[in-house]
Amino acid sequence: MEAPSAPVPATIAPSVVRRALALVSAGQLRRAASSLLQSGLHDPSPEIIQQLRDLHPSPPPDPLPSRPAEAPSVSFSSASVRAFLRERAPRGSAPGLSGWTESLLLPLAEDSHLLLALTSLLEDIACGRLDPVSRTRLLSCRLIPARKKDNGVRPIAVSEVFLRAASSLSLRLLPSGTLSRLLAPLQLGLGSAAGAEAIIHRVQSLIELHPDHVLLSLDFVNGFNSMFRHAMLERLYALPELAAVWRIADLCYGVPSPLHLFDRDGPVASFTSQRGSRQGCVLGTLLFCLGLQPILEEASGDLDKLTVSAYIDDLAVTGPLEQVSIFFERLNALSPAVGLSISLPKSSLLWSCDLLVPGNVGGRLTSIIFLSLTARFPSLGPW
């Protein structure tokens, strides 16, 4: 039997073709082929520009926490910088506003004097030793309106390669297994090997073992750009295990960052990222997961038959309907405190065809998820 092939779009956007050709020129044949199956980019029309503004909401009045006074100053070896550039250069990552990429920096790493200067620059960035003007320039991003499968807009902020390198090298200073110890077993999208596969096997085995349990799938509305930064940073600064990234996180998220949208003729609009973690930022996923972790722990606490499996902002919750309902109620009440809200159109409740779901059980879960979502998506329901 032939393996199913990936669906090929009926039409391929010119931007996708240009990206694929650039990857072919860089020798990235596998990535070039994969890029042809992506949805492409939106043109920066007035409607798209307005959607991008809506996707970058204003921050709450809560002040951001100060970086801990004991935040250590990190240092990198020249060997680690050279190894990082050699590893990343073949990937063909997109450039920020300056146009610099890892592949352009790689020749500098082959000269000992230039490598030493580059290492010193990256250390200054990682430690936050920048004047305000340089900081603003470094945090400025090129905003890309990626097209989602449902034709929605996914804002991708492409930061400067120097910031990406300093952030990545700071993360590599964390001891092996640190993120897994802090986040697993609730969060498997970061720090856990093959997290998506682990969630699939976990959910399948639980449903097979407990056919009377239900599966609740949850997503958040504009999660990355909505979470309050004070919630993310407070959690980060409360964990000494992550002290190596305290300074770079303060640099990246202690002040708003400018985002600039371009078309083929030049800049068309500018935005300000003041809330949430930027999609495309090296630290973005970590900070989002840290901000989400406390409410997952609180919502699932004392529910002994419940299993929560998170892959970044996608949640799979299995257990008896009563406990799943309690979790949903708690999470729905806790989410606004960190700036999040549950996306009902992207959520679903599945249950065994042999399981009788009583209409008076589940409160808001039954009334909203069970009735409302199954009405929107007839394919959802018993399996």
Side-chain angles (χ1 to χ4, degrees):
M1 180 180 296
E2 294 185 1
S5 58
V8 178
T11 59
I12 300 179
S15 60
V16 175
V17 176
R18 290 193 296 271
R19 172 65 172 162
L21 291 175
L23 290 170
V24 169
S25 299
Q28 298 291 308
L29 300 183
R30 178 177 297 181
R31 292 186 61 196
S34 176
S35 69
L36 291 174
L37 301 178
Q38 296 175 359
S39 301
L41 307 177
H42 282 286
D43 292 325
S45 64
E47 293 78 13
I48 295 300
I49 291 175
Q50 185 57 51
Q51 289 186 50
L52 289 170
R53 293 197 187 282
D54 295 339
L55 289 171
H56 292 90
S58 300
D62 305 70
L64 296 180
S66 299
R67 185 188 69 200
E70 66 274 19
S73 294
V74 301
S75 61
F76 309 133
S77 67
S78 295
S80 68
V81 173
R82 182 192 297 113
F84 171 80
L85 292 175
R86 286 177 175 174
E87 172 192 327
R88 299 285 303 190
R91 300 187 183 184
S93 300
L97 293 175
S98 70
W100 281 95
T101 63
E102 289 89 348
S103 59
L104 293 177
L105 289 177
L106 183 57
L108 304 183
E110 306 306 329
D111 180 275
S112 60
H113 298 290
L114 294 177
L115 176 60
L116 186 62
L118 179 59
T119 301
S120 178
L121 172 62
L122 295 179
E123 286 181 348
D124 285 342
I125 294 173
C127 294
R129 295 191 290 257
L130 296 174
D131 62 83
V133 174
S134 299
R135 183 182 189 182
T136 299
R137 285 182 177 273
L138 192 67
L139 293 180
S140 298
C141 300
R142 184 162 60 91
L143 188 63
I144 297 178
R147 188 189 303 271
K148 292 184 176 181
K149 293 180 180 179
D150 61 359
N151 207 40
V153 182
R154 185 187 307 279
I156 305 297
V158 182
S159 58
E160 284 295 337
V161 64
F162 305 100
L163 188 63
R164 297 199 303 258
S167 300
S168 297
L169 290 167
S170 296
L171 285 172
R172 294 184 179 196
L173 295 177
L174 299 177
S176 177
T178 297
L179 299 183
S180 177
R181 288 191 293 272
L182 292 174
L183 299 173
L186 291 177
Q187 177 62 257
L188 298 180
L190 186 66
S192 298
E197 293 84 351
I199 291 174
I200 292 172
H201 289 298
R202 175 193 285 180
V203 169
Q204 182 176 357
S205 63
L206 287 171
I207 291 301
E208 292 177 352
L209 185 62
H210 303 286
D212 57 332
H213 287 186
V214 300
L215 167 61
L216 176 64
S217 174
L218 295 175
D219 197 0
F220 295 100
V221 178
N222 191 29
F224 266 62
N225 290 315
S226 296
M227 181 172 284
F228 296 152
R229 289 189 176 176
H230 72 267
M232 301 188 304
L233 293 176
E234 284 173 358
R235 178 70 171 179
L236 173 68
Y237 296 155
L239 297 170
E241 303 95 321
L242 302 179
V245 298
W246 283 355
R247 287 180 174 270
I248 189 72
D250 175 67
L251 175 79
C252 292
Y253 290 98
V255 296
S257 54
L259 310 175
H260 303 287
L261 179 66
F262 294 81
D263 63 12
R264 300 186 69 179
D265 297 322
V268 295
S270 295
F271 311 85
T272 302
S273 174
Q274 308 175 77
R275 180 171 160 181
S277 57
R278 298 181 296 276
Q279 296 189 65
C281 173
V282 173
L283 299 179
T285 299
L286 171 61
L287 292 174
F288 178 86
C289 291
L290 290 177
L292 180 63
Q293 190 78 0
I295 66 173
L296 292 182
E297 294 173 349
E298 186 172 349
S300 60
D302 72 28
L303 300 177
D304 58 334
K305 297 182 180 179
L306 188 84
T307 300
V308 178
S309 305
Y311 192 86
I312 317 300
D313 59 345
D314 294 311
L315 309 183
V317 186
T318 57
L321 179 61
E322 293 85 353
Q323 293 199 7
V324 171
S325 174
I326 293 172
F327 173 84
F328 176 81
E329 290 276 5
R330 290 176 178 175
L331 187 67
N332 193 61
L334 292 168
S335 295
V338 296
L340 298 178
S341 60
I342 295 174
S343 174
L344 293 179
K346 294 183 179 179
S347 302
S348 60
L349 178 69
L350 303 177
W351 66 96
S352 168
C353 58
D354 297 326
L355 177 62
L356 178 62
V357 180
N360 61 345
V361 174
R364 182 174 172 84
L365 171 65
T366 301
S367 63
I368 292 183
I369 295 292
F370 177 71
L371 297 179
S372 179
L373 284 177
T374 52
R376 291 194 184 106
F377 297 91
S379 62
L380 298 181
W383 61 71

